[in-house]
Amino acid sequence: MAYTDDSVKAKLSALNETQEGIVTVAQWVMFHRRHAERTAQLWLQKLRESPAAKRLNLIYLANEVAQQSRARRKEDFLIAFSPIIAEAVTTAYKGSSNDIQQKIRRVVEVWRQRSIFEPPIQDAVEARVDEIDKSRSTGKKPLLGGSLFSSPSGSTPSELQPLVPLQVSLSKAAVASGTSGTAANSEYEKMNDPNAPLPTPPVHAARLSQLLKTLANAESSVSEVIKSRAALIDGLEKILETNRTALSKEEALAVQLQERKAETEAKKRDVEDAIMRGLSAENTPAAELGATGATGDAVSRPEVEALTPPPVEAITPVDSPKRELQGEASNEENGGHSITGFSLGFDNPIDASIPGLSGPGQPSTTGYGEVTQDSMNGFQAKKRKVAHEEEDYAKFAGGDLDADVAELLNQESQAQG
């Protein structure tokens, strides 16, 4: 099929969403790449006239053609699409459903990842899409996590808001200037090629007139780029100056804080040293301080109360008769026994010795009625005079005692007599 406007429109109208259909049309378009600029204009016109679903297919076609051109290093269509791609994406994105918008965003993200278009063109496309999202849902987060091109917060910082329109204007002007400048230089080189045959004077004059128009348009485009870039630089310089002023204040504040931090640390060390010195003075032994205290006063020993043994409870035999002892008035008050030792307190003197027994703990008798016992149950006993008379054990022999026991007692009585 020969290349004509009608053939291009027919191909675009027959485009469907299948991969095979998109690849087939893309190959035909690239075969006629010398008509790239005209094809791009017809493509944009068709996109404006089509419904939302059809616009997505046209975006897919442009994506296929642009990527194939970049891969084959044939930049005819990249140059042709660059001035119009931002407008085309905006037209396809505006008014479409969320599903179609997300697919368009995915295509634009692929362009960014693979560097299909120049950075200014890519920035312009993303900025236009973000503007649509902001105008549609102000103060709301974009669906599905927000824009693929914006910051994590979903909006440009307020300090950089004045630069956004300047950058967009610069990007558009740079695209137009690049296209017109390239065309003007190419036309100029053809007209001044020494190897090209000279046309007839009327034709030559017409071509020169056309070249003048092309050069004038390119010059105007470059002037717009210069104007836009100067405005952007001016805005950047204002932001830079603001940040420099803020930086100076922050640096002065940082120095002040460092000085105050060092001063506070020194005070903290002094306080800790004073605390440690106080603890050391409190823990110093008295032997190291000498005979006098820290103030020079004599240090006296504390008075210690003398140790006294606890009082010993007196022991009085159960049912023993009480007896007054001369010289011991306390026995009358204590029930017939002494506090310093103990006494048996019998009224009638008895013989404390047991005939026939001897050994440790046996009281000894000397003469008449004198009893001495060195110790009894761990207490020092007091010497007393006790009346003593011999008992006749033989008189118990006639009782009910056992015969062997009575005989033994009789023998002991005889031995003692």
Side-chain angles (χ1 to χ4, degrees), residues 64-80:
E64 180 68 19
V65 172
Q67 291 204 46
Q68 291 295 331
S69 298
R70 177 65 68 184
R72 299 178 184 181
R73 298 182 181 179
K74 304 293 185 180
E75 299 186 357
D76 304 78
F77 280 100
L78 294 176
I79 296 174

Side-chain angles (χ1 to χ4, degrees), residues 51 89 149 250 270 287 345 384 390 403:
V89 171
F149 322 118
E250 291 163 355
D270 294 342
R384 297 192 50 181
E390 294 181 357

Side-chain angles (χ1 to χ4, degrees), residues 355 392-414:
D392 186 6
Y393 292 99
K395 64 183 179 180
F396 293 101
D400 296 332
L401 294 177
D402 186 86
D404 295 335
V405 176
E407 180 64 23
L408 178 61
L409 293 176
N410 187 22
Q411 294 176 3
E412 290 178 356
S413 176
Q414 292 177 0

Side-chain angles (χ1 to χ4, degrees), residues 130 134 150-151 153-161 164:
D130 287 341
K134 291 177 183 177
S150 59
S151 61
S153 61
S155 61
T156 305
S158 59
E159 294 82 2
L160 301 179
Q161 286 290 345
V164 174

Side-chain angles (χ1 to χ4, degrees), residues 309-347:
V312 179
E313 185 179 359
I315 299 175
T316 304
V318 180
D319 298 331
S320 60
K322 297 182 180 180
R323 175 177 178 271
E324 292 184 1
L325 300 179
Q326 296 179 356
E328 297 182 5
S330 62
N331 285 351
E332 183 179 0
E333 298 176 0
N334 290 288
H337 58 82
S338 173
I339 294 177
T340 57
F342 68 89
S343 60
L344 298 177
F346 294 112
D347 292 335

